[in-house]
């Protein structure tokens, strides 16, 4: 496989050859094209955003870094989330494109598995606790803090009441749904598009907390190799079109009415990807990149792939 090549991987983990070449490159949203094909476009100066570990990404000047955020997951969700430790985390936004990007380094929860197992896990049902939607909810586009606090407290009170001796007739199963009020920001918008709120529940003595998800279409996994890194890429295409009330609440342009959100998550490391413990490469941290964009018609696949190719690790 050549450097920078893309391999489309089927749901069951088998590779389907030739698909990568069928995706035509398209210009990034907001980029102007010259009416004259002979006119040379000037090179856009890129801005580098870096983590202390040396992982970096080169982006256009339209991207800005948000204020420092606590490492995910939220304490309200930590015991329910997949067991992975976030080492560094950076949140970026592009107001011009109405897009948001997160880049992080983490420990490796996929050690001992393989790409087929990773594919199966990420395509598991939303609400299973380990699928793509859950991963995005726990770590990248979580519910607002006050909503998580309120839902957790309501669940605690309901659980304590159900466990009182004089309430023995109450079923041990319990489900507390909390719908969130999302702030009118890009982060709030994508949090709302991923999940309407948070659900705390206990079933047959097993506790769980997760999102309240709309319908998503999960595309096949892709494998990308670029700049000495190997990434596995997953996409969740939103099926819910934006109505005018949503556009107005989140201060989006009127022309965004009817648009759909598109979520991406990529996990990577210096090649080869460390599924197997290597005595020569111990404790290799993973690079995780999450992106959310929206638009009418085609998805944001080409945009995310261009962003991913700008990720570097020293």
């Amino acid at each position: 496989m050549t450097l920078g090549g893309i391999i489309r991987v089927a749901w069951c983990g088998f590779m389907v050859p030739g698909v990568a070449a069928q995706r035509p490159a398209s210009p990034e949203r907001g980029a102007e094209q010259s009416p004259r094909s002979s006119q040379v476009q000037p090179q856009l100066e890129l801005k580098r955003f870096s983590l202390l570990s040396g992982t970096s990404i080169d982006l256009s000047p339209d991207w800005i870094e948000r204020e420092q955020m606590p490492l995910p997951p939220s304490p309200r969700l930590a015991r329910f989330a997949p067991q992975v430790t976030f080492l560094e985390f950076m949140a970026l936004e592009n107001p011009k494109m109405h897009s948001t990007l997160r880049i992080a380094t983490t420990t490796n929860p996929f050690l001992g598995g393989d790409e087929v197992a990773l594919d199966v896990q990420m395509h598991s049902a939303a609400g299973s606790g380990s699928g793509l939607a859950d991963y995005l909810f726990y770590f990248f586009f979580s519910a607002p803090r006050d909503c998580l606090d309120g839902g957790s407290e309501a669940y605690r009170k309901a659980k304590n009441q159900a466990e009182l001796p004089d309430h023995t007739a109450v079923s041990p199963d319990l489900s507390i749904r909390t719908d969130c009020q999302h702030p009118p920001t890009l982060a709030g918008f994508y949090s709302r598009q991923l999940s309407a709120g948070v659900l705390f529940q206990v079933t047959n003595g097993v506790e769980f907390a997760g999102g309240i998800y709309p319908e998503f279409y999960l595309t096949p996994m892709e494998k990308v190799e670029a700049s000495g890194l190997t990434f596995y890429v997953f996409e969740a295409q939103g099926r819910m079109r934006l109505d005018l009330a949503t556009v107005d609440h989140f201060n989006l342009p009127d022309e965004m009415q009817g648009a759909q959100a598109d979520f991406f998550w990529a996990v990577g490391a210096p090649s080869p990807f460390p599924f197997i413990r290597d005595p020569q490469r111990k404790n290799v941290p993973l690079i995780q990149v999450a992106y959310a964009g929206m638009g009418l018609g085609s998805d944001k696949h080409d945009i995310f792939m261009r962003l991913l190719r700008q990720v570097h690790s020293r």
Side-chain angles (χ1 to χ4, degrees):
M1 178 173 174
T2 59
L3 186 65
I6 303 175
I7 297 177
R8 175 72 75 177
V9 181
W11 289 66
C12 59
F14 294 99
M15 296 183 181
V16 182
V19 177
Q22 298 172 13
R23 280 227 189 226
S26 60
E28 188 170 343
R29 175 185 292 271
E32 296 183 359
Q33 298 186 73
S34 169
R36 300 180 181 179
S37 59
S38 60
Q39 183 174 342
V40 178
Q41 288 287 332
Q43 284 288 339
L44 182 65
E45 184 176 349
L46 300 179
K47 182 166 56 173
R48 174 160 292 188
F49 296 90
S50 300
L51 299 174
L52 292 177
S53 63
T55 298
S56 63
I57 185 168
D58 297 330
L59 300 171
S60 72
D62 294 329
W63 287 93
I64 58 175
E65 184 176 358
R66 292 188 59 208
E67 68 278 3
Q68 192 72 25
M69 300 173 62
L71 292 175
S74 162
R76 301 296 189 186
L77 300 173
R79 65 192 180 102
F80 309 106
Q83 295 304 298
V84 56
T85 300
F86 276 67
L87 307 173
E88 300 173 287
F89 188 91
M90 180 185 294
L92 304 164
E93 290 184 353
N94 188 325
K96 183 177 179 181
M97 292 175 57
H98 313 293
S99 301
T100 183
L101 182 71
R102 281 90 168 90
I103 183 167
T105 58
T106 73
T107 55
N108 184 1
F110 307 111
L111 192 65
D114 56 29
E115 59 186 41
V116 175
L118 175 62
D119 188 19
V120 170
Q121 175 184 333
M122 289 302 148
H123 281 97
S124 58
S128 64
S130 60
L132 177 58
D134 298 298
Y135 216 89
L136 292 170
F137 176 78
Y138 288 130
F139 301 122
F140 297 104
F141 303 103
S142 189
R145 182 185 304 175
D146 60 344
C147 185
L148 292 176
D149 290 344
S152 177
E153 180 63 16
Y155 171 70
R156 185 190 66 80
K157 289 181 177 179
K159 184 182 175 187
N160 288 343
Q161 185 178 17
E163 291 174 348
L164 289 175
D166 56 346
H167 288 75
T168 54
V170 176
S171 168
D173 291 352
L174 183 67
S175 180
I176 301 296
R177 170 178 173 143
T178 302
D179 289 281
C180 300
Q181 296 295 320
H182 294 80
T185 62
L186 269 180
F189 169 75
Y190 285 112
S191 172
R192 175 61 183 84
Q193 293 305 298
L194 179 67
S195 169
V198 60
L199 182 69
F200 288 89
Q201 62 184 20
V202 56
T203 305
N204 296 326
V206 179
E207 292 184 295
F208 172 80
I212 303 168
Y213 307 111
E215 181 184 357
F216 289 102
Y217 171 68
L218 304 184
T219 65
M221 180 180 78
E222 292 182 74
K223 184 177 180 180
V224 176
E225 294 184 354
S227 303
L229 302 172
T230 297
F231 282 101
Y232 293 94
V233 180
F234 300 86
E235 178 183 4
Q237 297 177 2
R239 316 308 285 171
M240 182 173 59
R241 297 188 180 276
L242 303 185
D243 57 23
L244 184 58
T246 300
V247 168
D248 287 344
H249 175 75
F250 290 102
N251 300 314
L252 299 171
D254 287 349
E255 56 266 27
M256 286 293 102
Q257 186 175 353
Q260 296 164 292
D262 201 2
F263 293 90
F264 291 84
W265 175 70
V267 58
S271 303
F273 190 92
F275 284 118
I276 301 173
R277 189 178 300 277
D278 184 348
Q280 306 303 317
R281 302 170 66 223
K282 295 182 178 179
N283 302 317
V284 176
L286 300 187
I287 302 170
Q288 300 199 26
V289 183
Y291 170 82
M294 67 177 132
L296 300 164
S298 61
D299 62 22
K300 299 292 164 285
H301 176 274
D302 293 341
I303 293 176
F304 180 67
M305 287 301 178
R306 285 199 296 274
L307 293 174
L308 196 61
R309 294 181 187 284
Q310 296 299 325
V311 176
H312 306 279
S313 180
R314 69 180 182 208

mmCIF file of all heavy atoms in Angstrom, residues 206-242:
data_model
loop_
_atom_site.group_PDB
_atom_site.id
_atom_site.type_symbol
_atom_site.label_atom_id
_atom_site.label_comp_id
_atom_site.label_asym_id
_atom_site.label_seq_id
_atom_site.Cartn_x
_atom_site.Cartn_y
_atom_site.Cartn_z
ATOM 1 N N VAL A 206 -27.360 -4.057 36.719
ATOM 2 C CA VAL A 206 -26.236 -3.473 35.977
ATOM 3 C C VAL A 206 -26.547 -2.014 35.658
ATOM 4 O O VAL A 206 -27.564 -1.713 35.021
ATOM 5 C CB VAL A 206 -25.967 -4.250 34.676
ATOM 6 C CG1 VAL A 206 -24.817 -3.604 33.908
ATOM 7 C CG2 VAL A 206 -25.649 -5.709 34.984
ATOM 8 N N GLU A 207 -25.667 -1.118 36.095
ATOM 9 C CA GLU A 207 -25.872 0.308 35.868
ATOM 10 C C GLU A 207 -25.258 0.741 34.537
ATOM 11 O O GLU A 207 -24.260 0.183 34.081
ATOM 12 C CB GLU A 207 -25.254 1.116 37.006
ATOM 13 C CG GLU A 207 -25.966 0.945 38.335
ATOM 14 C CD GLU A 207 -25.388 1.838 39.407
ATOM 15 O OE1 GLU A 207 -24.213 1.627 39.766
ATOM 16 O OE2 GLU A 207 -26.097 2.746 39.873
ATOM 17 N N PHE A 208 -25.871 1.759 33.948
ATOM 18 C CA PHE A 208 -25.408 2.259 32.655
ATOM 19 C C PHE A 208 -25.792 3.725 32.528
ATOM 20 O O PHE A 208 -26.834 4.157 33.029
ATOM 21 C CB PHE A 208 -26.041 1.460 31.510
ATOM 22 C CG PHE A 208 -25.757 2.028 30.139
ATOM 23 C CD1 PHE A 208 -24.546 1.787 29.509
ATOM 24 C CD2 PHE A 208 -26.695 2.821 29.485
ATOM 25 C CE1 PHE A 208 -24.275 2.315 28.251
ATOM 26 C CE2 PHE A 208 -26.434 3.358 28.231
ATOM 27 C CZ PHE A 208 -25.217 3.095 27.617
ATOM 28 N N ALA A 209 -24.950 4.493 31.866
ATOM 29 C CA ALA A 209 -25.279 5.873 31.511
ATOM 30 C C ALA A 209 -24.772 6.134 30.107
ATOM 31 O O ALA A 209 -23.651 5.730 29.750
ATOM 32 C CB ALA A 209 -24.655 6.862 32.493
ATOM 33 N N GLY A 210 -25.573 6.788 29.301
ATOM 34 C CA GLY A 210 -25.172 7.065 27.924
ATOM 35 C C GLY A 210 -26.058 8.122 27.308
ATOM 36 O O GLY A 210 -26.868 8.767 27.986
ATOM 37 N N GLY A 211 -25.926 8.293 26.009
ATOM 38 C CA GLY A 211 -26.669 9.320 25.309
ATOM 39 C C GLY A 211 -28.050 8.857 24.878
ATOM 40 O O GLY A 211 -28.418 7.684 25.011
ATOM 41 N N ILE A 212 -28.809 9.812 24.349
ATOM 42 C CA ILE A 212 -30.131 9.554 23.770
ATOM 43 C C ILE A 212 -29.994 9.903 22.292
ATOM 44 O O ILE A 212 -30.064 11.064 21.899
ATOM 45 C CB ILE A 212 -31.211 10.409 24.454
ATOM 46 C CG1 ILE A 212 -31.212 10.146 25.965
ATOM 47 C CG2 ILE A 212 -32.585 10.128 23.858
ATOM 48 C CD1 ILE A 212 -32.042 11.138 26.758
ATOM 49 N N TYR A 213 -29.768 8.894 21.473
ATOM 50 C CA TYR A 213 -29.275 9.123 20.121
ATOM 51 C C TYR A 213 -30.377 9.132 19.068
ATOM 52 O O TYR A 213 -31.310 8.324 19.138
ATOM 53 C CB TYR A 213 -28.258 8.034 19.749
ATOM 54 C CG TYR A 213 -27.140 7.877 20.749
ATOM 55 C CD1 TYR A 213 -27.049 6.741 21.545
ATOM 56 C CD2 TYR A 213 -26.174 8.866 20.905
ATOM 57 C CE1 TYR A 213 -26.027 6.587 22.466
ATOM 58 C CE2 TYR A 213 -25.151 8.723 21.823
ATOM 59 C CZ TYR A 213 -25.080 7.585 22.605
ATOM 60 O OH TYR A 213 -24.070 7.439 23.522
ATOM 61 N N PRO A 214 -30.247 10.014 18.075
ATOM 62 C CA PRO A 214 -31.108 9.923 16.896
ATOM 63 C C PRO A 214 -30.560 8.835 15.966
ATOM 64 O O PRO A 214 -29.604 8.130 16.305
ATOM 65 C CB PRO A 214 -30.971 11.312 16.261
ATOM 66 C CG PRO A 214 -29.569 11.726 16.617
ATOM 67 C CD PRO A 214 -29.310 11.143 17.988
ATOM 68 N N GLU A 215 -31.137 8.723 14.798
ATOM 69 C CA GLU A 215 -30.674 7.716 13.839
ATOM 70 C C GLU A 215 -29.414 8.196 13.124
ATOM 71 O O GLU A 215 -29.322 9.347 12.701
ATOM 72 C CB GLU A 215 -31.767 7.434 12.805
ATOM 73 C CG GLU A 215 -31.383 6.389 11.773
ATOM 74 C CD GLU A 215 -32.438 6.204 10.701
ATOM 75 O OE1 GLU A 215 -33.499 6.855 10.800
ATOM 76 O OE2 GLU A 215 -32.195 5.424 9.757
ATOM 77 N N PHE A 216 -28.425 7.303 13.002
ATOM 78 C CA PHE A 216 -27.210 7.574 12.246
ATOM 79 C C PHE A 216 -26.981 6.460 11.229
ATOM 80 O O PHE A 216 -27.345 5.312 11.466
ATOM 81 C CB PHE A 216 -25.979 7.647 13.163
ATOM 82 C CG PHE A 216 -25.922 8.863 14.036
ATOM 83 C CD1 PHE A 216 -26.270 8.789 15.372
ATOM 84 C CD2 PHE A 216 -25.522 10.084 13.518
ATOM 85 C CE1 PHE A 216 -26.225 9.906 16.186
ATOM 86 C CE2 PHE A 216 -25.461 11.209 14.321
ATOM 87 C CZ PHE A 216 -25.813 11.126 15.657
ATOM 88 N N TYR A 217 -26.357 6.831 10.127
ATOM 89 C CA TYR A 217 -25.871 5.829 9.182
ATOM 90 C C TYR A 217 -24.370 5.700 9.382
ATOM 91 O O TYR A 217 -23.625 6.680 9.240
ATOM 92 C CB TYR A 217 -26.172 6.226 7.738
ATOM 93 C CG TYR A 217 -25.493 5.322 6.730
ATOM 94 C CD1 TYR A 217 -25.886 3.988 6.593
ATOM 95 C CD2 TYR A 217 -24.438 5.788 5.945
ATOM 96 C CE1 TYR A 217 -25.250 3.148 5.696
ATOM 97 C CE2 TYR A 217 -23.800 4.951 5.042
ATOM 98 C CZ TYR A 217 -24.210 3.632 4.923
ATOM 99 O OH TYR A 217 -23.573 2.800 4.042
ATOM 100 N N LEU A 218 -23.904 4.492 9.731
ATOM 101 C CA LEU A 218 -22.485 4.247 9.955
ATOM 102 C C LEU A 218 -21.867 3.688 8.676
ATOM 103 O O LEU A 218 -22.273 2.628 8.197
ATOM 104 C CB LEU A 218 -22.281 3.263 11.111
ATOM 105 C CG LEU A 218 -22.913 3.647 12.457
ATOM 106 C CD1 LEU A 218 -22.537 2.627 13.525
ATOM 107 C CD2 LEU A 218 -22.481 5.045 12.886
ATOM 108 N N THR A 219 -20.897 4.397 8.139
ATOM 109 C CA THR A 219 -20.239 3.957 6.911
ATOM 110 C C THR A 219 -19.196 2.889 7.232
ATOM 111 O O THR A 219 -18.795 2.728 8.391
ATOM 112 C CB THR A 219 -19.555 5.142 6.210
ATOM 113 O OG1 THR A 219 -18.499 5.626 7.049
ATOM 114 C CG2 THR A 219 -20.549 6.271 5.957
ATOM 115 N N PRO A 220 -18.730 2.142 6.229
ATOM 116 C CA PRO A 220 -17.681 1.148 6.480
ATOM 117 C C PRO A 220 -16.393 1.792 6.994
ATOM 118 O O PRO A 220 -16.095 2.952 6.697
ATOM 119 C CB PRO A 220 -17.458 0.522 5.097
ATOM 120 C CG PRO A 220 -18.739 0.747 4.367
ATOM 121 C CD PRO A 220 -19.239 2.076 4.846
ATOM 122 N N MET A 221 -15.643 1.030 7.765
ATOM 123 C CA MET A 221 -14.361 1.496 8.281
ATOM 124 C C MET A 221 -13.379 1.719 7.134
ATOM 125 O O MET A 221 -13.421 1.026 6.120
ATOM 126 C CB MET A 221 -13.798 0.452 9.248
ATOM 127 C CG MET A 221 -12.458 0.816 9.869
ATOM 128 S SD MET A 221 -11.850 -0.470 11.006
ATOM 129 C CE MET A 221 -11.210 -1.666 9.826
ATOM 130 N N GLU A 222 -12.494 2.691 7.314
ATOM 131 C CA GLU A 222 -11.410 2.924 6.358
ATOM 132 C C GLU A 222 -10.074 2.907 7.086
ATOM 133 O O GLU A 222 -9.991 3.274 8.258
ATOM 134 C CB GLU A 222 -11.581 4.265 5.651
ATOM 135 C CG GLU A 222 -12.770 4.334 4.718
ATOM 136 C CD GLU A 222 -12.841 5.670 4.009
ATOM 137 O OE1 GLU A 222 -12.028 5.898 3.094
ATOM 138 O OE2 GLU A 222 -13.692 6.485 4.379
ATOM 139 N N LYS A 223 -9.049 2.490 6.368
ATOM 140 C CA LYS A 223 -7.685 2.509 6.889
ATOM 141 C C LYS A 223 -6.880 3.517 6.084
ATOM 142 O O LYS A 223 -6.874 3.477 4.854
ATOM 143 C CB LYS A 223 -7.058 1.118 6.784
ATOM 144 C CG LYS A 223 -5.661 1.006 7.382
ATOM 145 C CD LYS A 223 -5.160 -0.431 7.283
ATOM 146 C CE LYS A 223 -3.772 -0.590 7.879
ATOM 147 N NZ LYS A 223 -3.303 -2.009 7.779
ATOM 148 N N VAL A 224 -6.222 4.440 6.780
ATOM 149 C CA VAL A 224 -5.479 5.514 6.129
ATOM 150 C C VAL A 224 -4.041 5.500 6.634
ATOM 151 O O VAL A 224 -3.806 5.425 7.842
ATOM 152 C CB VAL A 224 -6.117 6.891 6.435
ATOM 153 C CG1 VAL A 224 -5.293 8.015 5.830
ATOM 154 C CG2 VAL A 224 -7.544 6.945 5.922
ATOM 155 N N GLU A 225 -3.098 5.576 5.717
ATOM 156 C CA GLU A 225 -1.687 5.673 6.083
ATOM 157 C C GLU A 225 -1.114 6.939 5.468
ATOM 158 O O GLU A 225 -1.193 7.145 4.256
ATOM 159 C CB GLU A 225 -0.926 4.439 5.601
ATOM 160 C CG GLU A 225 -1.365 3.164 6.310
ATOM 161 C CD GLU A 225 -0.541 1.952 5.903
ATOM 162 O OE1 GLU A 225 0.290 2.100 4.984
ATOM 163 O OE2 GLU A 225 -0.727 0.880 6.500
ATOM 164 N N ALA A 226 -0.567 7.803 6.323
ATOM 165 C CA ALA A 226 -0.001 9.068 5.855
ATOM 166 C C ALA A 226 0.973 9.592 6.896
ATOM 167 O O ALA A 226 0.758 9.437 8.105
ATOM 168 C CB ALA A 226 -1.101 10.097 5.603
ATOM 169 N N SER A 227 2.059 10.196 6.430
ATOM 170 C CA SER A 227 3.057 10.824 7.306
ATOM 171 C C SER A 227 3.587 9.865 8.366
ATOM 172 O O SER A 227 3.855 10.263 9.503
ATOM 173 C CB SER A 227 2.463 12.072 7.977
ATOM 174 O OG SER A 227 1.992 12.991 7.017
ATOM 175 N N GLY A 228 3.707 8.587 8.006
ATOM 176 C CA GLY A 228 4.229 7.609 8.943
ATOM 177 C C GLY A 228 3.242 7.152 9.995
ATOM 178 O O GLY A 228 3.620 6.459 10.944
ATOM 179 N N LEU A 229 1.966 7.527 9.846
ATOM 180 C CA LEU A 229 0.930 7.164 10.805
ATOM 181 C C LEU A 229 -0.095 6.247 10.145
ATOM 182 O O LEU A 229 -0.356 6.351 8.948
ATOM 183 C CB LEU A 229 0.217 8.414 11.335
ATOM 184 C CG LEU A 229 1.086 9.466 12.028
ATOM 185 C CD1 LEU A 229 0.269 10.723 12.318
ATOM 186 C CD2 LEU A 229 1.676 8.915 13.323
ATOM 187 N N THR A 230 -0.675 5.357 10.937
ATOM 188 C CA THR A 230 -1.785 4.520 10.487
ATOM 189 C C THR A 230 -3.026 4.900 11.270
ATOM 190 O O THR A 230 -3.005 4.900 12.505
ATOM 191 C CB THR A 230 -1.484 3.026 10.703
ATOM 192 O OG1 THR A 230 -0.353 2.651 9.915
ATOM 193 C CG2 THR A 230 -2.681 2.173 10.296
ATOM 194 N N PHE A 231 -4.102 5.248 10.559
ATOM 195 C CA PHE A 231 -5.369 5.611 11.186
ATOM 196 C C PHE A 231 -6.475 4.667 10.724
ATOM 197 O O PHE A 231 -6.498 4.226 9.570
ATOM 198 C CB PHE A 231 -5.785 7.038 10.804
ATOM 199 C CG PHE A 231 -5.069 8.123 11.554
ATOM 200 C CD1 PHE A 231 -4.022 8.807 10.958
ATOM 201 C CD2 PHE A 231 -5.447 8.468 12.842
ATOM 202 C CE1 PHE A 231 -3.358 9.815 11.633
ATOM 203 C CE2 PHE A 231 -4.788 9.477 13.529
ATOM 204 C CZ PHE A 231 -3.738 10.152 12.924
ATOM 205 N N TYR A 232 -7.411 4.396 11.633
ATOM 206 C CA TYR A 232 -8.668 3.736 11.296
ATOM 207 C C TYR A 232 -9.771 4.776 11.458
ATOM 208 O O TYR A 232 -9.866 5.432 12.499
ATOM 209 C CB TYR A 232 -8.904 2.520 12.191
ATOM 210 C CG TYR A 232 -7.891 1.424 11.937
ATOM 211 C CD1 TYR A 232 -6.727 1.337 12.699
ATOM 212 C CD2 TYR A 232 -8.078 0.505 10.904
ATOM 213 C CE1 TYR A 232 -5.781 0.349 12.446
ATOM 214 C CE2 TYR A 232 -7.137 -0.485 10.649
ATOM 215 C CZ TYR A 232 -5.993 -0.553 11.420
ATOM 216 O OH TYR A 232 -5.052 -1.528 11.159
ATOM 217 N N VAL A 233 -10.590 4.921 10.425
ATOM 218 C CA VAL A 233 -11.540 6.029 10.342
ATOM 219 C C VAL A 233 -12.967 5.499 10.333
ATOM 220 O O VAL A 233 -13.290 4.550 9.609
ATOM 221 C CB VAL A 233 -11.291 6.864 9.068
ATOM 222 C CG1 VAL A 233 -12.282 8.020 8.978
ATOM 223 C CG2 VAL A 233 -9.854 7.383 9.043
ATOM 224 N N PHE A 234 -13.824 6.152 11.130
ATOM 225 C CA PHE A 234 -15.238 5.788 11.222
ATOM 226 C C PHE A 234 -16.082 7.048 11.056
ATOM 227 O O PHE A 234 -15.685 8.131 11.487
ATOM 228 C CB PHE A 234 -15.537 5.134 12.574
ATOM 229 C CG PHE A 234 -14.746 3.873 12.808
ATOM 230 C CD1 PHE A 234 -13.470 3.938 13.353
ATOM 231 C CD2 PHE A 234 -15.262 2.640 12.464
ATOM 232 C CE1 PHE A 234 -12.724 2.789 13.561
ATOM 233 C CE2 PHE A 234 -14.523 1.480 12.669
ATOM 234 C CZ PHE A 234 -13.256 1.554 13.219
ATOM 235 N N GLU A 235 -17.257 6.881 10.460
ATOM 236 C CA GLU A 235 -18.130 8.019 10.177
ATOM 237 C C GLU A 235 -19.563 7.691 10.577
ATOM 238 O O GLU A 235 -20.062 6.594 10.311
ATOM 239 C CB GLU A 235 -18.081 8.361 8.686
ATOM 240 C CG GLU A 235 -18.994 9.511 8.277
ATOM 241 C CD GLU A 235 -18.974 9.773 6.775
ATOM 242 O OE1 GLU A 235 -18.305 9.006 6.040
ATOM 243 O OE2 GLU A 235 -19.632 10.733 6.333
ATOM 244 N N ALA A 236 -20.227 8.659 11.213
ATOM 245 C CA ALA A 236 -21.648 8.550 11.560
ATOM 246 C C ALA A 236 -22.380 9.712 10.902
ATOM 247 O O ALA A 236 -22.224 10.866 11.316
ATOM 248 C CB ALA A 236 -21.843 8.577 13.072
ATOM 249 N N GLN A 237 -23.156 9.416 9.881
ATOM 250 C CA GLN A 237 -23.891 10.446 9.159
ATOM 251 C C GLN A 237 -25.263 10.644 9.793
ATOM 252 O O GLN A 237 -26.052 9.702 9.899
ATOM 253 C CB GLN A 237 -24.064 10.052 7.692
ATOM 254 C CG GLN A 237 -22.766 9.922 6.919
ATOM 255 C CD GLN A 237 -22.983 9.447 5.495
ATOM 256 O OE1 GLN A 237 -24.115 9.241 5.063
ATOM 257 N NE2 GLN A 237 -21.901 9.267 4.750
ATOM 258 N N GLY A 238 -25.538 11.879 10.220
ATOM 259 C CA GLY A 238 -26.837 12.182 10.795
ATOM 260 C C GLY A 238 -27.937 12.093 9.752
ATOM 261 O O GLY A 238 -27.742 12.469 8.597
ATOM 262 N N ARG A 239 -29.107 11.610 10.157
ATOM 263 C CA ARG A 239 -30.244 11.499 9.243
ATOM 264 C C ARG A 239 -31.284 12.586 9.514
ATOM 265 O O ARG A 239 -32.253 12.727 8.774
ATOM 266 C CB ARG A 239 -30.917 10.124 9.379
ATOM 267 C CG ARG A 239 -29.957 8.948 9.443
ATOM 268 C CD ARG A 239 -28.960 8.949 8.303
ATOM 269 N NE ARG A 239 -29.540 8.538 7.035
ATOM 270 C CZ ARG A 239 -28.913 8.632 5.869
ATOM 271 N NH1 ARG A 239 -27.705 9.150 5.806
ATOM 272 N NH2 ARG A 239 -29.501 8.218 4.772
ATOM 273 N N MET A 240 -31.092 13.352 10.574
ATOM 274 C CA MET A 240 -32.066 14.369 10.971
ATOM 275 C C MET A 240 -31.691 15.716 10.346
ATOM 276 O O MET A 240 -30.589 16.222 10.553
ATOM 277 C CB MET A 240 -32.088 14.482 12.504
ATOM 278 C CG MET A 240 -33.089 15.479 13.053
ATOM 279 S SD MET A 240 -33.173 15.391 14.867
ATOM 280 C CE MET A 240 -31.471 15.759 15.315
ATOM 281 N N ARG A 241 -32.609 16.286 9.581
ATOM 282 C CA ARG A 241 -32.362 17.575 8.935
ATOM 283 C C ARG A 241 -32.689 18.721 9.888
ATOM 284 O O ARG A 241 -33.636 18.644 10.665
ATOM 285 C CB ARG A 241 -33.188 17.695 7.652
ATOM 286 C CG ARG A 241 -32.801 16.658 6.599
ATOM 287 C CD ARG A 241 -33.484 16.909 5.272
ATOM 288 N NE ARG A 241 -33.091 15.911 4.284
ATOM 289 C CZ ARG A 241 -31.984 15.982 3.552
ATOM 290 N NH1 ARG A 241 -31.167 17.017 3.700
ATOM 291 N NH2 ARG A 241 -31.692 15.037 2.676
ATOM 292 N N LEU A 242 -31.893 19.772 9.813
ATOM 293 C CA LEU A 242 -32.080 20.909 10.706
ATOM 294 C C LEU A 242 -33.346 21.675 10.337
ATOM 295 O O LEU A 242 -33.579 21.981 9.164
ATOM 296 C CB LEU A 242 -30.882 21.853 10.624
ATOM 297 C CG LEU A 242 -29.494 21.269 10.926
ATOM 298 C CD1 LEU A 242 -28.448 22.376 10.912
ATOM 299 C CD2 LEU A 242 -29.489 20.543 12.254
#
